[in-house]
Amino acid sequence: MLEVLASKRDGYPLISGHRGGAAYAPENTMAAFKKGKALGADLLELDVQLTRDGHLVIFHDDTLDRTTNGKGLLRERTLAELKELDAGSWFSPEFAGERIPTFEEVVEWATDVGMRLNVELKSGPYPAFDSTLAVKVVEVLEKYGRIDDCLCISFDHIWIAEVKRRAPGLACAINYTARLMDPIGVARAAGADILNVHQQFVSPDLAAAAHQAGLGLQCYCDNPEVAQLFTRMGIDFMDSDHPDVIKAAVRAIPREEVGSLSTSL
Ligand code: G3P
Ligand code: MG
């Protein structure tokens, strides 16, 4: 993955289907991952959480209410209970019967079809800070031989440090929403390879500082014009609900303009 990232710095950014391809299918379901792949996403982003009985499942919110026919906190349910839920009908009747996938189901499918994953370790709230989730994610990626070509991201930088301790070759990003005083130092503290910053804080200076330090720069972006601007700034990864639209937009930019925008504050 780090080699892919390095080569992409001379070319176009990698585009990751956010929650699979959340604009086109119910987020974080197999239908969304299949759609994201069909649309040409370079990676698929997904959110991993722990069930009450210690299984890894793919789900974004803390609660089941928005994207299933269930209610309440996901972490209070067993895998068997979660597998009963309909995770597709809220999006459209055509997706009725979609289930919450386990992490292993998605990794197995992604391995079969040759798809890279951008795995977000969903963190907190207190007291759910123990590193079981990080440890189990690494175990599954190791089992399927995916340490070298997947990415782990998290707002929990302590978990990222744990992932890097267990699997130094697994590319990792720290998520954050700030204009940090020392983003390179924060990345170094976690052993991370990539800054995954809220798009509000992307700048040419940040891209230059990241690249000078040997780090990549990533953000979420769903607006084609903004994605083109970020591409000119030299962003390496973008997560998008519309990976096809964003990929087409960035590839419409002449190659020589990629990373060409630089300013100094
Ligand atoms: O880069 C994507 C990451 O920031 C996603 O956040 O809240 O959609 O899981 P979220
Ligand atoms: Mg996410």
Side-chain angles (χ1 to χ4, degrees):
M1 192 57 172
L2 294 174
E3 285 71 30
V4 173
L5 176 63
S7 70
K8 285 291 165 183
R9 284 200 189 117
D10 299 328
Y12 293 98
L14 294 170
I15 306 302
S16 174
H18 183 237
R19 306 181 196 173
Y24 303 104
E27 62 183 54
N28 282 327
T29 64
M30 286 309 304
F33 299 127
K34 287 175 181 165
K35 188 70 183 172
K37 180 181 186 297
L39 293 172
D42 299 305
L43 301 92
L44 298 171
E45 193 261 358
L46 48 82
D47 302 292
V48 187
Q49 302 197 39
L50 269 178
T51 66
R52 195 181 84 203
D53 51 344
H55 293 276
L56 298 177
V57 288
I58 308 306
F59 203 77
H60 181 269
D61 296 358
D62 288 339
T63 60
L64 300 164
D65 303 48
R66 182 178 62 87
T67 60
T68 74
N69 58 345
K71 286 199 183 314
L73 289 167
L74 176 137
R75 63 177 169 274
E76 292 180 348
R77 304 300 174 89
T78 63
L79 178 61
E81 288 167 343
L82 293 169
K83 281 289 187 187
E84 293 293 313
L85 301 176
D86 180 335
S89 291
W90 70 276
F91 187 86
S92 158
E94 75 179 276
F95 295 105
E98 278 296 322
R99 300 292 157 194
I100 296 173
T102 64
F103 182 50
E104 189 155 350
E105 284 166 357
V106 179
V107 175
E108 186 173 19
W109 167 81
T111 304
D112 285 348
V113 301
M115 195 69 206
R116 291 192 292 253
L117 298 174
N118 174 12
V119 181
E120 178 166 6
L121 313 180
K122 292 312 270 187
S123 50
Y126 178 84
F129 291 154
D130 85 76
S131 54
T132 307
L133 175 66
V135 172
K136 289 191 172 187
V137 163
V138 172
E139 283 172 0
V140 173
L141 291 175
E142 271 171 350
K143 178 177 169 185
Y144 286 87
R146 304 305 304 273
I147 295 294
D148 293 339
D149 68 350
C150 287
L151 171 65
C152 273
I153 69 174
S154 188
F155 283 96
D156 190 321
H157 300 184
I158 294 170
W159 283 356
I160 291 298
E162 180 69 30
V163 168
K164 289 299 281 189
R165 261 193 302 276
R166 287 170 182 270
L170 177 53
C172 284
I174 48 163
N175 297 358
Y176 66 99
T177 304
R179 192 152 79 96
L180 293 177
M181 292 292 292
D182 182 14
I184 306 306
V186 173
R188 295 267 189 259
D193 311 284
I194 297 164
L195 303 172
N196 185 16
V197 65
H198 190 285
Q199 58 184 316
Q200 184 178 349
F201 301 101
V202 172
S203 71
D205 297 285
L206 182 61
H211 293 163
Q212 208 163 17
L215 301 174
L217 187 62
Q218 175 182 5
C219 71
Y220 173 84
C221 181
D222 210 34
N223 178 309
E225 286 84 38
V226 176
Q228 290 183 327
L229 177 65
F230 290 166
T231 300
R232 291 191 169 92
M233 290 182 190
I235 195 112
D236 300 288
F237 276 88
M238 282 183 280
D239 298 309
S240 174
D241 292 350
H242 298 83
D244 52 337
V245 174
I246 297 301
K247 195 163 179 174
V250 305
R251 281 167 190 276
I253 292 179
R255 178 75 176 258
E256 60 274 17
E257 289 181 27
V258 174
S260 63
L261 186 63
S262 61
T263 61
S264 196
L265 294 175

